[in-house]
Each structure stands twice: as structure tokens, then as C-alpha cells.
């Protein structure tokens, strides 16, 4: 469908079209569209912009991944569809591995996502087929199956659009987890080491830009960025933005009511 340029929600509609196209190509699952809709609702309340708190979380996440020995970026259907190019760019800047890890797992989807990532320049994609031979303990979903040389041996894992179970399980394994989730109340958001409350379509390009200027900083400076960051405080601040925008909507409605008569 052609989206009119001057439509007030043009960008959001373009993203929907992209997801539907990825559904047709077997990259995204139907459930991925529903998950995106939930994200959109939170994005609406955040004003569909990257807050200063999300920027702080992005800076701390990139610092943490640059300090890591074995950082891994976990990719599911929605992430591959919406930001395959940025995943590959970020991985190359921070020296991370890329692993496909799906909730609704099938070999065909793994291959389709691997191919998409390779089209965007990835030389190696972990977690596909028999490579995912290791298990995350105490996790029952298909997400438990991971690559020995990828997520299984990673010290920091970036998990955009995640379910809470795996985030908690990865943290129990002693890993540091960076989540990107528009819902600051989700279990993922609360259990991750760092949560970026932002749309992945905005957060991933910003992570790439941040990695470009942080990658040559001394380790002391990166450690300092990490030390000054608190995930609990940052989540509270994101929640306050949402609360503030709901309050503003009430005030606006009351004003309209008064003016209306
Ligand atoms: O590709 P698969 O098989 O691995 O399946 C992927 C989905 C997304 C279907 C699966 O991981 C899933 O069901 O996810 P959940 O549990 O619904 O969680 C998705 C979370 O991501 C929710 O908290 C949403 O608010 C959030 N979210 C959705 N779209 C975005 C988002 N966060 C950031 N950016 C988005 N574009």
C-alpha cells in the first residue's frame, strides 16, 4: 500500500507495511504483528520519540558491550525485519556475534533470517539448525536452544524484543542482558541488566552511532559511564514520561470539555 507522505502516522504505517511484507516472506510470525501492536501502544504514550532516558540507556549498553569479552546480538523475526542492517553494523563496530534465536522456531525461518542478515553483510550467523545444540537451563520454550559459540558462551547478550523468561534465565546463568522493550513494566524490562525503553527502529540506529564514538574511548571512561547508570532509576524515569503523557491527555480532555460547554 502507498502511504501518503503527509499522513500524521506515516512512519508508523510504513513500519507496519514492512512487517506485513516480512510475514509474507516467512521472516515474521503472525504473533510478531500482535507483539508489535503492543509495542506501538507504549510508543504512543512515549510520544513516539527517543527520550533522554533511552539515550542514557543506549550509552550505557554500548559501553557494556564494548567492555565485554564475548558480546552476542540475539535476533528474532521482528528484529531481523525491522533492523537487519543496523544489527550487522553494530555487530561489526563492537565485535559481537549475531545469533538467530526464535520463540516460534522453525528451520525455514532460521534460514530466511540468516539469509536476510547475510544480504546485509553478515559473514557468519550463529544458532541456525544443528548449531543450536546447547540449552539454557530451566527454560522450556524453543528459545532455550542456543549456539555453544554464541549465546551459550556470551558474557553480554543484546536481546531486542524479548520474553521475560529467557531474560531471567540468561541473568541466572551469570550473563549481562541488554533489552530493548517499549514496555517499561514488562518482566524483560525489569530483569535485564540494562533496558532501553524505545522502539527498536529508533534505538538500533542510535546504538550504531553511539558505538562509532565510544569504540575508541579508554576502558576507564566506559566503566565510568556504566557506574553512573542505574537501570531501576532509568525505568522509573521512562514510566514517569508515560504517566506525564496520560496526565496531559486528561488535562486536554477536561479543557475541551469546558470549552465545549
Ligand atoms: O520471531 P520470534 O518467533 O522469536 O517471535 C518474536 C515475538 C516478538 C513474537 C516474541 O518474542 C514475542 O511474543 O514477544 P512478546 O513476549 O510479545 O514481547 C515483545 C515485547 O516487545 C513487548 O513487551 C512489546 O511491548 C515490545 N515491542 C514490540 N514491538 C517493539 C517492542 N519494543 C521495542 N520496539 C518495538 N518495535
Amino acid at each position: 500500500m502507498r502511504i501518503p507522505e503527509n499522513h500524521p502516522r506515516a512512519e508508523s504505517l510504513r513500519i507496519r507495511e514492512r512487517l506485513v511484507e516480512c510475514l509474507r516472506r516467512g521472516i515474521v510470525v503472525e504473533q510478531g504483528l500482535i507483539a508489535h501492536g503492543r509495542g506501538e501502544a507504549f510508543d504512543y504514550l512515549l510520544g513516539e520519540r527517543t527520550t533522554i532516558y533511552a539515550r542514557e540507556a543506549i550509552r550505557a549498553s554500548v559501553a557494556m558491550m564494548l567492555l565485554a569479552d564475548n558480546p552476542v546480538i540475539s535476533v528474532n523475526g521482528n528484529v531481523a525485519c525491522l533492523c537487519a542492517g543496523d544489527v550487522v553494523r553494530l555487530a561489526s563496530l563492537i565485535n559481537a556475534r549475531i545469533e538467530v534465536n526464535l520463540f516460534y522456531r522453525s528451520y525455514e525461518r532460521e534460514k530466511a533470517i540468516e539469509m536476510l542478515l547475510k544480504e546485509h553483510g553478515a559473514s557468519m550467523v550463529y544458532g541456525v539448525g544443528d548449531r543450536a545444540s546447547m540449552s539454557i537451563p530451566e527454560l522450556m520454550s524453543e528459545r532455550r536452544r542456543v549456539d555453544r559459540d554464541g549465546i551459550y558462551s556470551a558474557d553480554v547478550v543484546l536481546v531486542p524484543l524479548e520474553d521475560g523468561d529467557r531474560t531471567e534465565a540468561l541473568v541466572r546463568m551469570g550473563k549481562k542482558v541488554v533489552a530493548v522493550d517499549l514496555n517499561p513494566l514488562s518482566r524483560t524490562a525489569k530483569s535485564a541488566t540494562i533496558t532501553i525503553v524505545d522502539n527498536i527502529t529508533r534505538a538500533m540506529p542510535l546504538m550504531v552511532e553511539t558505538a562509532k564514538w565510544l569504540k575508541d574511548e579508554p576502558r576507564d571512561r566506559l566503566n565510568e559511564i556504566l557506574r553512573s547508570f542505574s537501570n531501576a532509576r532509568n525505568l522509573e524515569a521512562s514510566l514517569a514520561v508515560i504517566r506525564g503523557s496520560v496526565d496531559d491527555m486528561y488535562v486536554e480532555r477536561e479543557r475541551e470539555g469546558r470549552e465545549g460547554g
Side-chain angles (χ1 to χ4, degrees):
M1 195 192 106
R2 206 186 66 79
I3 315 274
E5 276 308 314
N6 61 350
H7 192 287
R9 314 196 67 75
E11 183 53 20
S12 167
L13 293 177
R14 271 195 290 271
I15 293 171
R16 285 185 182 182
E17 287 301 311
R18 213 177 327 152
L19 284 164
V20 170
E21 176 56 28
C22 289
L23 176 75
R24 291 194 189 113
R25 288 171 59 191
I27 289 165
V28 164
V29 275
E30 285 92 341
Q31 294 86 339
L33 304 185
I34 299 170
H36 184 78
R38 175 152 34 141
E40 274 189 347
F42 283 99
D43 208 12
Y44 182 81
L45 294 172
L46 283 163
E48 291 176 332
R49 67 195 160 82
T50 302
T51 65
I52 52 166
Y53 311 110
R55 280 175 200 276
E56 273 173 21
I58 285 173
R59 213 157 55 104
S61 307
V62 173
M64 192 160 85
M65 288 190 288
L66 284 167
L67 286 165
D69 292 323
N70 295 311
V72 171
I73 305 176
S74 178
V75 176
N76 66 19
N78 289 41
V79 175
C81 174
L82 295 178
C83 36
D86 284 318
V87 165
V88 175
R89 277 187 282 278
L90 182 64
S92 138
L93 284 162
I94 62 171
N95 212 3
R97 293 183 168 172
I98 302 174
E99 177 161 343
V100 177
N101 183 276
L102 304 177
F103 190 82
Y104 301 98
R105 199 173 199 121
S106 78
Y107 183 61
E108 291 69 32
R109 282 188 72 216
E110 286 171 7
K111 288 303 282 180
I113 293 169
E114 177 187 37
M115 209 202 304
L116 181 68
L117 288 162
K118 288 194 166 167
E119 274 165 26
H120 280 87
S123 50
M124 172 71 194
V125 176
Y126 291 78
V128 178
D130 293 343
R131 287 209 62 107
S133 60
M134 300 304 282
S135 269
I136 300 177
E138 298 168 54
L139 190 63
M140 290 306 135
S141 76
E142 280 298 299
R143 278 206 197 277
R144 73 183 182 282
R145 299 208 278 130
V146 288
D147 195 313
R148 179 192 292 277
D149 301 322
I151 291 171
Y152 194 76
S153 49
D155 51 351
V156 177
V157 190
L158 169 62
V159 292
L161 259 88
E162 182 66 6
D163 62 280
D165 281 358
R166 190 172 68 136
T167 306
E168 287 173 353
L170 289 172
V171 169
R172 274 200 303 274
M173 284 176 87
K175 300 180 192 302
K176 290 176 178 149
V177 177
V178 177
V180 184
D181 194 332
L182 278 160
N183 177 4
L185 296 164
S186 74
R187 217 148 33 96
T188 304
K190 287 185 195 150
S191 44
T193 318
I194 299 179
T195 310
I196 301 165
V197 181
D198 197 13
N199 199 315
I200 46 162
T201 58
R202 296 188 301 266
M204 289 300 292
L206 265 174
M207 290 183 92
V208 171
E209 287 314 304
T210 308
K212 281 183 193 162
W213 59 264
L214 278 189
K215 75 179 174 46
D216 298 319
E217 290 289 316
R219 291 179 74 85
D220 279 359
R221 168 86 188 106
L222 299 177
N223 274 314
E224 197 184 295
I225 292 173
L226 261 187
R227 261 197 310 274
S228 63
F229 181 82
S230 152
N231 204 44
R233 253 198 337 254
N234 195 273
L235 280 176
E236 265 309 308
S238 300
L239 205 51
V241 172
I242 291 179
R243 215 181 294 131
S245 91
V246 174
D247 285 348
D248 289 349
M249 285 175 206
Y250 267 115
V251 171
E252 181 67 9
R253 209 180 59 163
E254 284 188 4
R255 191 183 59 78
E256 281 170 6
R258 276 198 308 275
E259 285 174 2

